Coordinates of all heavy atoms in Angstrom, one line a residue:
M845 N -27.3 -25.7 45.9 CA -27.0 -24.3 46.0 C -25.4 -24.1 45.9 O -24.7 -24.7 46.7 CB -27.5 -23.6 47.2 CG -27.2 -22.1 47.3 SD -28.2 -21.2 48.5 CE -28.2 -22.3 49.9
G846 N -24.9 -23.2 45.0 CA -23.5 -23.0 44.9 C -23.0 -22.2 46.0 O -23.7 -21.4 46.6
L847 N -21.7 -22.3 46.3 CA -21.1 -21.4 47.3 C -21.1 -20.0 46.8 O -21.0 -19.7 45.6 CB -19.7 -21.9 47.5 CG -19.6 -23.1 48.4 CD1 -18.1 -23.7 48.3 CD2 -19.8 -22.7 49.9
P848 N -21.0 -19.0 47.7 CA -20.9 -17.6 47.2 C -19.5 -17.4 46.6 O -18.5 -18.2 47.0 CB -21.0 -16.8 48.6 CG -20.8 -17.8 49.6 CD -21.2 -19.2 49.1
Q849 N -19.3 -16.4 45.8 CA -18.0 -16.1 45.2 C -17.3 -15.1 46.0 O -17.9 -14.1 46.5 CB -18.3 -15.5 43.8 CG -18.9 -16.4 42.8 CD -18.0 -17.6 42.5 OE1 -16.8 -17.5 42.2 NE2 -18.6 -18.8 42.6
F850 N -16.0 -15.4 46.3 CA -15.2 -14.4 47.0 C -14.1 -14.0 46.0 O -13.2 -14.7 45.6 CB -14.5 -15.1 48.2 CG -15.6 -15.6 49.2 CD1 -15.9 -17.0 49.3 CD2 -16.2 -14.7 50.1 CE1 -16.8 -17.4 50.2 CE2 -17.1 -15.2 51.0 CZ -17.4 -16.5 51.0
R851 N -14.2 -12.7 45.7 CA -13.3 -12.1 44.8 C -11.8 -12.3 45.2 O -10.9 -12.5 44.3 CB -13.6 -10.6 44.7 CG -12.9 -10.0 43.5 CD -13.3 -8.6 43.1 NE -14.3 -8.0 44.0 CZ -14.4 -6.7 44.1 NH1 -13.6 -5.9 43.4 NH2 -15.3 -6.1 44.9
Y852 N -11.5 -12.2 46.5 CA -10.2 -12.2 46.9 C -9.8 -13.6 47.4 O -8.7 -13.8 48.0 CB -9.9 -11.2 48.0 CG -10.1 -9.8 47.4 CD1 -11.2 -9.0 47.7 CD2 -9.1 -9.2 46.6 CE1 -11.4 -7.8 47.2 CE2 -9.3 -7.9 46.1 CZ -10.4 -7.2 46.4 OH -10.6 -5.9 45.9
H853 N -10.6 -14.6 47.3 CA -10.3 -15.9 47.7 C -11.1 -16.9 46.9 O -12.2 -17.4 47.3 CB -10.7 -16.1 49.2 CG -10.1 -17.3 49.9 ND1 -9.8 -17.5 51.2 CD2 -9.6 -18.5 49.3 CE1 -9.3 -18.6 51.4 NE2 -9.2 -19.3 50.3
P854 N -10.7 -17.1 45.6 CA -11.5 -17.7 44.6 C -11.9 -19.2 44.9 O -12.9 -19.6 44.5 CB -10.7 -17.6 43.3 CG -9.4 -17.0 43.7 CD -9.4 -16.5 45.1
D855 N -11.0 -19.9 45.6 CA -11.3 -21.3 45.8 C -11.1 -21.7 47.3 O -10.2 -22.5 47.6 CB -10.5 -22.1 44.9 CG -11.1 -23.6 44.7 OD1 -12.0 -23.9 45.5 OD2 -10.6 -24.3 43.9
P856 N -12.0 -21.2 48.2 CA -11.7 -21.5 49.6 C -11.9 -23.0 50.0 O -11.5 -23.4 51.0 CB -12.8 -20.6 50.3 CG -13.8 -20.3 49.3 CD -13.1 -20.3 48.0
V857 N -12.7 -23.7 49.1 CA -12.9 -25.2 49.5 C -11.5 -25.9 49.2 O -11.1 -26.7 50.1 CB -14.0 -25.7 48.6 CG1 -14.0 -27.3 48.8 CG2 -15.3 -25.1 49.0
R858 N -10.9 -25.5 48.1 CA -9.6 -26.2 47.8 C -8.6 -25.8 48.9 O -7.7 -26.6 49.3 CB -9.1 -25.8 46.4 CG -7.8 -26.3 46.1 CD -7.3 -26.1 44.7 NE -8.0 -27.0 43.8 CZ -7.9 -27.0 42.5 NH1 -7.1 -26.1 42.0 NH2 -8.5 -27.9 41.8
S859 N -8.6 -24.6 49.3 CA -7.6 -24.1 50.3 C -7.9 -24.6 51.7 O -7.1 -24.5 52.6 CB -7.5 -22.6 50.3 OG -8.6 -22.0 50.9
G860 N -9.1 -25.2 51.9 CA -9.4 -25.8 53.1 C -10.0 -24.8 54.1 O -10.3 -25.2 55.3
S861 N -10.3 -23.7 53.7 CA -10.9 -22.7 54.6 C -12.4 -22.8 54.7 O -13.0 -22.5 55.8 CB -10.5 -21.3 54.1 OG -11.4 -20.4 54.4
I862 N -13.0 -23.5 53.8 CA -14.4 -23.8 53.8 C -14.5 -25.3 53.6 O -14.0 -25.8 52.6 CB -15.2 -23.0 52.8 CG1 -15.4 -21.6 53.3 CG2 -16.7 -23.6 52.6 CD1 -15.9 -20.6 52.3
V863 N -15.3 -26.1 54.4 CA -15.4 -27.5 54.3 C -16.9 -27.9 54.3 O -17.7 -27.1 54.8 CB -14.7 -28.3 55.3 CG1 -13.2 -28.0 55.4 CG2 -15.3 -28.0 56.8
E864 N -17.2 -29.0 53.7 CA -18.6 -29.5 53.7 C -18.8 -30.0 55.1 O -18.1 -30.7 55.8 CB -18.7 -30.8 52.8 CG -18.7 -30.4 51.3 CD -19.1 -31.6 50.5 OE1 -20.1 -32.3 50.8 OE2 -18.3 -31.9 49.5
S865 N -20.0 -29.5 55.6 CA -20.4 -29.9 57.0 C -21.9 -29.7 57.2 O -22.5 -28.8 56.5 CB -19.6 -28.9 57.9 OG -20.1 -29.0 59.2
E866 N -22.4 -30.4 58.1 CA -23.9 -30.2 58.3 C -24.1 -29.4 59.6 O -25.1 -29.2 60.1 CB -24.5 -31.6 58.6 CG -24.6 -32.4 57.3 CD -25.3 -31.6 56.1 OE1 -26.3 -31.0 56.3 OE2 -24.7 -31.7 55.0
K867 N -23.0 -28.8 60.1 CA -23.1 -27.9 61.3 C -24.0 -26.8 61.0 O -24.0 -26.2 59.9 CB -21.7 -27.4 61.6 CG -21.0 -28.1 62.7 CD -19.7 -27.3 63.1 CE -19.0 -27.9 64.3 NZ -17.9 -27.1 64.7
K868 N -24.6 -26.3 62.1 CA -25.5 -25.1 62.0 C -24.6 -23.9 62.1 O -23.7 -23.8 63.0 CB -26.5 -25.1 63.1 CG -27.8 -25.8 62.6 CD -28.9 -25.5 63.7 CE -30.0 -26.4 63.4 NZ -30.9 -26.6 64.6
C869 N -24.9 -22.9 61.3 CA -24.2 -21.6 61.4 C -24.7 -20.8 62.6 O -25.9 -20.7 62.9 CB -24.5 -20.8 60.1 SG -23.9 -19.2 60.1
K870 N -23.7 -20.2 63.3 CA -24.0 -19.5 64.5 C -24.7 -18.1 64.1 O -25.3 -17.5 65.0 CB -22.7 -19.2 65.2 CG -22.8 -18.9 66.6 CD -21.4 -18.9 67.2 CE -21.4 -18.5 68.7 NZ -20.0 -18.6 69.3
S871 N -24.5 -17.7 62.9 CA -25.0 -16.4 62.6 C -26.4 -16.5 62.0 O -27.3 -15.8 62.5 CB -24.1 -15.7 61.5 OG -24.6 -14.5 61.1
C872 N -26.7 -17.4 61.1 CA -28.0 -17.5 60.5 C -28.8 -18.6 61.0 O -30.0 -18.7 60.8 CB -27.9 -17.5 58.9 SG -27.1 -19.0 58.3
G873 N -28.2 -19.5 61.7 CA -28.9 -20.7 62.4 C -29.3 -21.8 61.4 O -30.0 -22.7 61.8
Q874 N -28.8 -21.7 60.2 CA -29.1 -22.7 59.2 C -28.0 -23.7 59.0 O -26.8 -23.3 59.1 CB -29.5 -22.1 57.9 CG -30.7 -21.2 57.9 CD -31.0 -20.7 56.5 OE1 -31.2 -21.4 55.6 NE2 -31.0 -19.4 56.4
S875 N -28.3 -24.9 58.7 CA -27.3 -25.9 58.2 C -27.3 -25.9 56.7 O -28.3 -26.4 56.1 CB -27.6 -27.2 58.8 OG -26.9 -28.2 58.2
R876 N -26.3 -25.3 56.1 CA -26.4 -25.1 54.6 C -25.4 -26.0 53.9 O -25.2 -25.8 52.7 CB -26.2 -23.6 54.4 CG -27.2 -22.8 55.1 CD -26.9 -21.3 55.0 NE -27.6 -20.7 53.8 CZ -27.7 -19.4 53.6 NH1 -27.2 -18.6 54.5 NH2 -28.2 -19.0 52.5
G877 N -24.7 -26.9 54.5 CA -23.9 -27.9 53.8 C -22.4 -27.5 53.9 O -21.6 -28.3 53.5
Y878 N -22.1 -26.3 54.2 CA -20.7 -25.8 54.2 C -20.5 -25.0 55.5 O -21.3 -24.2 55.9 CB -20.3 -25.0 53.0 CG -20.1 -25.8 51.7 CD1 -21.3 -26.0 50.9 CD2 -19.0 -26.4 51.4 CE1 -21.2 -26.7 49.8 CE2 -18.9 -27.2 50.3 CZ -19.9 -27.3 49.4 OH -19.8 -28.1 48.3
I879 N -19.3 -25.0 56.0 CA -19.0 -24.2 57.1 C -17.5 -23.7 57.0 O -16.7 -24.3 56.4 CB -19.1 -25.0 58.4 CG1 -19.5 -24.2 59.6 CG2 -17.9 -25.9 58.8 CD1 -21.0 -23.9 59.7
Y880 N -17.3 -22.5 57.6 CA -16.0 -21.9 57.5 C -15.1 -22.4 58.7 O -15.6 -22.4 59.8 CB -16.2 -20.4 57.6 CG -14.9 -19.6 57.8 CD1 -14.0 -19.6 56.7 CD2 -14.7 -18.9 58.9 CE1 -12.8 -18.8 56.9 CE2 -13.5 -18.1 59.0 CZ -12.6 -18.1 58.0 OH -11.4 -17.4 58.1
T881 N -13.9 -22.8 58.4 CA -13.0 -23.3 59.4 C -11.7 -22.5 59.6 O -10.9 -22.8 60.4 CB -12.5 -24.8 59.0 OG1 -11.7 -24.7 57.9 CG2 -13.7 -25.7 58.8
G882 N -11.7 -21.4 58.8 CA -10.4 -20.6 58.9 C -10.5 -19.7 60.2 O -11.3 -19.8 61.1
P883 N -9.5 -18.8 60.3 CA -9.4 -17.9 61.4 C -10.5 -16.8 61.5 O -11.0 -16.4 60.5 CB -8.0 -17.3 61.3 CG -7.7 -17.3 59.8 CD -8.4 -18.5 59.3
A884 N -10.9 -16.5 62.7 CA -11.8 -15.3 62.9 C -11.2 -14.5 64.0 O -10.8 -15.0 65.0 CB -13.2 -15.8 63.2
Y885 N -11.2 -13.2 63.8 CA -10.6 -12.3 64.8 C -11.7 -11.4 65.4 O -12.3 -10.5 64.7 CB -9.6 -11.3 64.2 CG -8.5 -12.1 63.5 CD1 -8.6 -12.4 62.1 CD2 -7.4 -12.6 64.2 CE1 -7.6 -13.2 61.4 CE2 -6.4 -13.3 63.5 CZ -6.5 -13.7 62.2 OH -5.5 -14.4 61.6
C886 N -12.2 -11.8 66.6 CA -13.3 -11.1 67.2 C -13.3 -11.5 68.7 O -12.6 -12.3 69.1 CB -14.6 -11.3 66.5 SG -15.0 -13.0 66.6
E887 N -14.3 -10.9 69.4 CA -14.3 -11.2 70.8 C -15.0 -12.5 71.1 O -14.7 -13.2 72.1 CB -15.0 -10.1 71.5 CG -14.2 -8.8 71.6 CD -14.9 -7.6 72.1 OE1 -15.9 -7.7 72.6 OE2 -14.3 -6.5 71.9
E888 N -15.9 -12.9 70.2 CA -16.6 -14.2 70.4 C -15.6 -15.3 70.1 O -14.7 -15.2 69.4 CB -17.8 -14.3 69.4 CG -18.9 -13.4 69.7 CD -20.1 -14.2 70.3 OE1 -20.1 -15.5 70.3 OE2 -21.0 -13.6 70.9
D889 N -15.9 -16.4 70.7 CA -15.1 -17.6 70.5 C -15.8 -18.4 69.4 O -16.8 -19.0 69.6 CB -15.0 -18.4 71.8 CG -13.6 -19.0 71.9 OD1 -12.7 -18.6 71.0 OD2 -13.4 -19.8 72.8
F890 N -15.2 -18.5 68.2 CA -15.8 -19.3 67.2 C -15.1 -20.7 67.2 O -13.9 -20.8 67.3 CB -15.5 -18.6 65.8 CG -16.4 -17.4 65.6 CD1 -15.9 -16.2 65.5 CD2 -17.7 -17.6 65.5 CE1 -16.7 -15.1 65.4 CE2 -18.6 -16.5 65.3 CZ -18.1 -15.3 65.3
D891 N -16.0 -21.6 66.8 CA -15.5 -23.0 66.7 C -16.1 -23.6 65.4 O -16.9 -24.4 65.4 CB -15.9 -23.8 67.9 CG -15.3 -25.2 67.8 OD1 -14.3 -25.4 67.1 OD2 -15.8 -26.1 68.5
D892 N -15.6 -23.0 64.3 CA -16.0 -23.5 63.0 C -17.6 -23.6 62.9 O -18.1 -24.5 62.6 CB -15.5 -24.9 62.7 CG -14.0 -25.0 62.8 OD1 -13.3 -23.9 62.9 OD2 -13.4 -26.1 62.8
D893 N -18.2 -22.4 63.2 CA -19.6 -22.4 63.1 C -20.2 -21.2 62.4 O -21.2 -20.7 62.8 CB -20.3 -22.7 64.5 CG -19.6 -22.0 65.5 OD1 -18.8 -21.0 65.2 OD2 -19.8 -22.3 66.7
I894 N -19.5 -20.7 61.3 CA -20.1 -19.7 60.5 C -20.1 -20.2 59.1 O -19.1 -20.7 58.6 CB -19.1 -18.4 60.6 CG1 -19.1 -17.8 62.0 CG2 -19.6 -17.4 59.6 CD1 -20.4 -17.2 62.5
C895 N -21.2 -20.0 58.4 CA -21.3 -20.4 57.0 C -20.7 -19.4 56.1 O -20.7 -18.2 56.4 CB -22.7 -20.8 56.7 SG -23.8 -19.4 56.4
P896 N -20.3 -19.8 54.9 CA -19.7 -18.9 54.0 C -20.7 -17.8 53.5 O -20.2 -16.7 53.1 CB -19.2 -19.8 52.8 CG -19.8 -21.2 53.0 CD -20.2 -21.2 54.5
W897 N -21.9 -18.1 53.5 CA -22.9 -17.1 53.0 C -22.9 -15.9 54.0 O -23.1 -14.8 53.6 CB -24.3 -17.7 52.9 CG -24.4 -18.6 51.7 CD1 -24.7 -18.3 50.4 CD2 -24.0 -20.0 51.7 NE1 -24.6 -19.4 49.6 CE2 -24.2 -20.5 50.4 CE3 -23.6 -20.9 52.7 CZ2 -24.0 -21.8 50.0 CZ3 -23.4 -22.2 52.3 CH2 -23.6 -22.6 51.0
C898 N -22.8 -16.2 55.3 CA -22.8 -15.1 56.3 C -21.6 -14.3 56.2 O -21.5 -13.1 56.6 CB -23.1 -15.6 57.7 SG -24.8 -16.2 57.9
I899 N -20.5 -14.9 55.7 CA -19.3 -14.1 55.5 C -19.4 -13.3 54.3 O -19.2 -12.1 54.3 CB -18.0 -15.1 55.3 CG1 -17.8 -15.8 56.6 CG2 -16.8 -14.3 54.9 CD1 -16.7 -16.9 56.6
A900 N -20.0 -13.9 53.2 CA -20.1 -13.2 51.9 C -21.0 -12.0 52.0 O -20.7 -10.9 51.4 CB -20.6 -14.1 50.8
D901 N -22.1 -12.0 52.7 CA -23.0 -10.9 52.8 C -22.7 -10.0 53.9 O -23.4 -9.0 54.1 CB -24.5 -11.3 52.8 CG -24.8 -12.0 54.1 OD1 -24.1 -12.0 55.1 OD2 -26.0 -12.6 54.1
G902 N -21.7 -10.2 54.7 CA -21.2 -9.3 55.7 C -22.0 -9.4 57.0 O -21.7 -8.8 58.0
S903 N -22.9 -10.4 57.1 CA -23.8 -10.5 58.3 C -22.9 -11.1 59.5 O -23.2 -10.7 60.7 CB -25.0 -11.2 58.1 OG -24.8 -12.6 57.7
A904 N -22.0 -12.0 59.2 CA -21.2 -12.4 60.3 C -20.3 -11.3 60.9 O -20.1 -11.2 62.2 CB -20.3 -13.6 59.9
H905 N -19.9 -10.5 60.1 CA -19.0 -9.4 60.5 C -19.9 -8.4 61.3 O -19.5 -7.9 62.4 CB -18.4 -8.6 59.3 CG -17.8 -7.3 59.7 ND1 -16.6 -7.3 60.4 CD2 -18.3 -6.1 59.6 CE1 -16.3 -6.0 60.7 NE2 -17.3 -5.2 60.2
K906 N -21.1 -8.1 60.8 CA -22.0 -7.2 61.5 C -22.4 -7.7 62.9 O -22.4 -7.0 63.9 CB -23.3 -6.9 60.7 CG -23.1 -5.9 59.6 CD -24.4 -5.2 59.3 CE -24.3 -4.5 58.0 NZ -24.8 -5.4 56.9
K907 N -22.7 -9.0 62.9 CA -23.2 -9.6 64.1 C -22.2 -9.7 65.2 O -22.5 -9.5 66.4 CB -23.8 -11.0 63.8 CG -25.1 -11.3 64.5 CD -25.8 -12.5 63.8 CE -27.2 -12.7 64.4 NZ -28.0 -13.5 63.5
F908 N -21.0 -10.2 64.8 CA -20.0 -10.5 65.8 C -18.8 -9.6 65.7 O -17.8 -9.8 66.5 CB -19.5 -12.0 65.6 CG -20.6 -13.0 65.6 CD1 -21.0 -13.6 64.4 CD2 -21.3 -13.3 66.8 CE1 -22.1 -14.5 64.4 CE2 -22.4 -14.1 66.7 CZ -22.8 -14.8 65.6
R909 N -18.9 -8.6 64.9 CA -17.7 -7.7 64.6 C -16.5 -8.5 64.3 O -15.4 -8.2 64.7 CB -17.4 -6.9 65.9 CG -18.7 -6.1 66.3 CD -18.3 -5.1 67.4 NE -17.3 -4.1 67.0 CZ -17.5 -3.1 66.2 NH1 -18.7 -2.9 65.7 NH2 -16.6 -2.3 65.9
A910 N -16.7 -9.6 63.6 CA -15.6 -10.5 63.2 C -14.9 -10.1 62.0 O -15.5 -9.6 61.1 CB -16.2 -11.9 63.0
E911 N -13.6 -10.3 62.0 CA -12.8 -10.1 60.8 C -12.1 -11.5 60.5 O -11.8 -12.2 61.5 CB -11.8 -9.0 61.0 CG -12.5 -7.7 61.2 CD -11.6 -6.5 61.1 OE1 -10.4 -6.6 61.4 OE2 -12.2 -5.3 60.9
F912 N -11.9 -11.7 59.3 CA -11.4 -13.1 59.0 C -10.0 -13.2 58.4 O -9.5 -14.2 58.1 CB -12.4 -13.7 57.9 CG -13.8 -13.6 58.5 CD1 -14.7 -12.7 58.0 CD2 -14.2 -14.6 59.4 CE1 -16.0 -12.6 58.6 CE2 -15.5 -14.5 60.0 CZ -16.4 -13.5 59.5
V913 N -9.4 -12.0 58.2 CA -8.1 -11.9 57.8 C -7.3 -11.0 58.7 O -7.8 -9.9 59.2 CB -8.1 -11.3 56.3 CG1 -6.7 -11.1 55.8 CG2 -8.8 -12.3 55.3
D914 N -6.1 -11.3 59.0 CA -5.2 -10.5 59.8 C -4.8 -9.3 59.0 O -4.0 -9.4 58.1 CB -4.0 -11.3 60.3 CG -3.2 -10.5 61.3 OD1 -3.5 -9.3 61.5 OD2 -2.2 -11.1 61.9
L915 N -5.2 -8.1 59.4 CA -4.9 -6.9 58.6 C -3.5 -6.4 58.8 O -3.0 -5.5 58.0 CB -5.8 -5.7 59.0 CG -7.3 -6.0 58.5 CD1 -8.1 -4.9 59.0 CD2 -7.3 -6.1 57.0
N916 N -2.7 -7.0 59.7 CA -1.3 -6.6 59.8 C -0.5 -6.9 58.6 O 0.5 -6.3 58.4 CB -0.7 -7.2 61.1 CG -1.3 -6.7 62.3 OD1 -1.7 -5.5 62.4 ND2 -1.5 -7.6 63.4
G917 N -1.0 -7.8 57.8 CA -0.2 -8.1 56.6 C -0.4 -7.2 55.4 O 0.2 -7.3 54.4
F918 N -1.3 -6.2 55.6 CA -1.5 -5.2 54.5 C -0.5 -4.1 54.5 O -0.1 -3.6 55.4 CB -2.9 -4.7 54.6 CG -4.0 -5.6 54.2 CD1 -4.6 -6.4 55.1 CD2 -4.2 -5.8 52.8 CE1 -5.6 -7.3 54.7 CE2 -5.2 -6.8 52.5 CZ -5.8 -7.5 53.4
R919 N -0.2 -3.7 53.2 CA 0.8 -2.6 53.0 C -0.1 -1.3 52.9 O -1.2 -1.3 52.6 CB 1.5 -2.8 51.8 CG 2.5 -3.9 51.8 CD 3.5 -3.9 50.6 NE 4.1 -5.2 50.6 CZ 4.1 -5.9 49.5 NH1 3.6 -5.4 48.3 NH2 4.7 -7.1 49.4
D920 N 0.6 -0.2 53.2 CA 0.0 1.1 52.9 C -0.3 1.1 51.4 O 0.4 0.6 50.6 CB 1.0 2.2 53.2 CG 1.3 2.2 54.7 OD1 0.4 1.6 55.4 OD2 2.3 2.8 55.1
G921 N -1.4 1.9 51.1 CA -1.7 2.1 49.7 C -2.8 1.1 49.2 O -3.3 1.3 48.1
V922 N -3.2 0.2 50.0 CA -4.3 -0.7 49.7 C -5.6 0.1 50.0 O -5.8 0.6 51.0 CB -4.3 -2.0 50.5 CG1 -5.5 -2.9 50.1 CG2 -3.0 -2.8 50.2
P923 N -6.5 0.2 49.0 CA -7.7 1.0 49.2 C -8.5 0.5 50.3 O -8.6 -0.7 50.5 CB -8.5 0.9 47.8 CG -7.6 0.2 46.9 CD -6.4 -0.4 47.6
Q924 N -9.1 1.4 51.1 CA -10.0 1.0 52.2 C -11.1 0.0 51.9 O -11.4 -0.9 52.6 CB -10.5 2.3 52.9 CG -11.3 2.1 54.1 CD -10.4 1.5 55.3 OE1 -9.2 1.8 55.2 NE2 -10.9 0.8 56.2
S925 N -11.7 0.3 50.7 CA -12.8 -0.6 50.3 C -12.3 -2.0 50.1 O -13.0 -3.0 50.4 CB -13.5 -0.1 49.0 OG -12.5 -0.1 48.0
A926 N -11.1 -2.2 49.6 CA -10.5 -3.5 49.4 C -10.3 -4.1 50.7 O -10.5 -5.3 51.0 CB -9.3 -3.5 48.5
I927 N -9.7 -3.4 51.6 CA -9.4 -3.8 53.0 C -10.6 -4.4 53.7 O -10.7 -5.4 54.3 CB -8.6 -2.8 53.8 CG1 -7.3 -2.6 53.2 CG2 -8.6 -3.2 55.3 CD1 -6.4 -1.5 54.0
E928 N -11.7 -3.6 53.5 CA -12.9 -4.0 54.2 C -13.5 -5.3 53.6 O -13.9 -6.1 54.3 CB -14.0 -2.8 54.1 CG -13.7 -1.7 55.1 CD -14.7 -0.6 55.0 OE1 -15.6 -0.6 54.2 OE2 -14.3 0.4 55.7
E929 N -13.5 -5.3 52.3 CA -14.0 -6.5 51.7 C -13.2 -7.7 52.1 O -13.7 -8.8 52.3 CB -14.0 -6.4 50.2 CG -14.6 -7.6 49.5 CD -14.9 -7.5 48.0 OE1 -14.9 -6.3 47.5 OE2 -15.2 -8.5 47.4
I930 N -11.9 -7.6 52.1 CA -11.0 -8.7 52.4 C -11.2 -9.1 53.9 O -11.2 -10.3 54.2 CB -9.5 -8.4 52.1 CG1 -9.4 -8.3 50.6 CG2 -8.6 -9.4 52.7 CD1 -8.1 -7.7 50.2
S931 N -11.2 -8.2 54.8 CA -11.2 -8.5 56.2 C -12.6 -8.9 56.7 O -12.7 -9.7 57.6 CB -10.6 -7.4 57.1 OG -11.5 -6.2 57.0
Q932 N -13.6 -8.3 56.1 CA -15.0 -8.5 56.7 C -15.8 -9.5 55.9 O -16.8 -10.1 56.4 CB -15.7 -7.2 56.7 CG -14.9 -6.2 57.6 CD -15.5 -4.8 57.6 OE1 -16.5 -4.6 56.9 NE2 -14.9 -3.9 58.2
R933 N -15.5 -9.7 54.6 CA -16.4 -10.5 53.8 C -15.7 -11.6 53.0 O -16.2 -12.0 52.0 CB -17.3 -9.6 52.9 CG -18.1 -8.7 53.6 CD -19.2 -8.0 52.8 NE -18.5 -7.2 51.7 CZ -18.1 -5.9 51.8 NH1 -18.2 -5.3 53.0 NH2 -17.5 -5.3 50.9
T934 N -14.5 -11.9 53.4 CA -13.7 -12.9 52.6 C -13.2 -14.0 53.6 O -12.6 -13.5 54.7 CB -12.5 -12.3 51.9 OG1 -13.1 -11.3 50.9 CG2 -11.7 -13.2 51.2
P935 N -13.3 -15.2 53.3 CA -12.7 -16.2 54.3 C -11.2 -16.1 54.3 O -10.5 -15.9 53.3 CB -13.1 -17.6 53.7 CG -13.8 -17.3 52.3 CD -13.9 -15.8 52.2
G936 N -10.6 -16.3 55.5 CA -9.2 -16.3 55.7 C -8.5 -17.4 55.2 O -9.0 -18.5 54.9
Ligands
LIG1771 ZN1 -24.8 -18.4 58.1

C-alpha cells in the first residue's frame, strides 16, 4: 500500500517526518508499516505513534485535537482552508 499524498509535504519519508516502522498507530490501532515521527501540538503526549493515514484523513486531528505544524509561522493572507489542511492533515 502506498503512502497517502500530502499536497503541502510531498516527500515526508525523505524529510524524515515519516519512517518505516511496525509500531501500532495510536489512532487506528493498526500497524501499517509507517509511522509519523515529526512534531505534534496537542494535549496528549505522542511518542511517534500516529500513522500517516490518520494524519491524511484528519482522524488523528479529530481524535486528539492534534496539529502537526506550528501555525505561528504563517503569514496573514493564507487562506483558512490551506491553514487547516497544513496544520491538521499534513505531517510537520
Ligand atoms: Zn492510524
